[in-house]
Amino acid sequence: MTFHGPGQLVGYPILDLERFYTDIGRYLRNLEEVGIRVLADYGIVGGRSAGATGVWIGPDGKGKARKICAIGVRCSRWVTMHGFAFNVSTDLSWFGDIIPCGIADKEATSLEKELGRKVDFEEVKEKWRRYFAEVFEVELVRSLSE
């Protein structure tokens, strides 16, 4: 189980992986890489945790690893569905009533909690877009509704 709500940057990329690569693992690692690069812009070292998809803070260090970005995808005929939820200013109390992603021994965190200050949501969104385009080697086109 997971949570989506206010303060999260949620994205559900729809990609035909046959036009990129037919490798779900690579797709997941690339989504993680986008989140890791966004965190780096804020001076935070993000990483991966063996056996647990997502972006983590402190996955290999002392203390409890903290998940800042959940990733859950589905793929049918190499077309991706579902996506990611990056906690920017999320009220983390919502995670107290569930076991996020079925991982009981770790906790959720947010960019604002880690930085100890407010963060401009639009700024985070723009960084995510820029790094998504860079990592996936695509040009993102804005929709008319934006």
Side-chain angles (χ1 to χ4, degrees):
M1 179 181 282
T2 192
F3 164 79
H4 293 317
Q8 284 184 325
L9 176 59
V10 178
Y12 280 38
I14 301 171
L15 301 176
D16 181 350
L17 290 183
E18 284 189 318
R19 296 178 179 265
F20 294 86
Y21 41 76
T22 52
D23 183 340
I24 297 297
R26 182 175 171 191
Y27 175 64
L28 292 169
R29 301 302 76 82
N30 281 348
L31 284 176
E32 290 168 341
E33 183 62 26
V34 174
I36 289 167
R37 291 181 187 192
V38 169
L39 288 174
D41 274 5
Y42 291 95
I44 297 173
V45 177
R48 297 173 176 90
S49 181
T53 299
V55 179
W56 299 82
I57 297 173
D60 301 319
K62 295 179 181 176
K64 201 172 211 181
R66 293 146 352 256
K67 191 172 206 174
I68 195 162
C69 182
I71 298 173
V73 300
R74 182 176 186 281
C75 190
S76 177
R77 297 183 181 158
W78 296 111
V79 176
T80 64
M81 295 166 249
H82 305 292
F84 65 88
F86 184 88
N87 296 327
V88 178
S89 60
T90 313
D91 176 354
L92 299 172
S93 69
W94 288 101
F95 294 103
D97 294 328
I98 64 172
I99 299 173
C101 303
I103 303 170
D105 64 335
K106 299 197 173 46
E107 62 186 40
T109 191
S110 71
L111 187 56
E112 287 190 355
K113 180 179 179 184
E114 295 297 321
L115 293 172
R117 65 174 173 85
K118 294 282 186 195
V119 177
D120 183 292
F121 191 86
E122 291 302 313
E123 176 184 273
V124 176
K125 190 162 52 170
E126 285 305 314
K127 289 176 185 294
W128 190 282
R129 284 182 175 155
R130 183 181 62 212
Y131 290 126
F132 186 93
E134 188 176 285
V135 169
F136 285 91
E137 298 177 355
V138 296
E139 179 183 350
L140 297 180
V141 179
R142 293 190 187 268
S143 70
L144 294 176
S145 64
E146 290 187 84

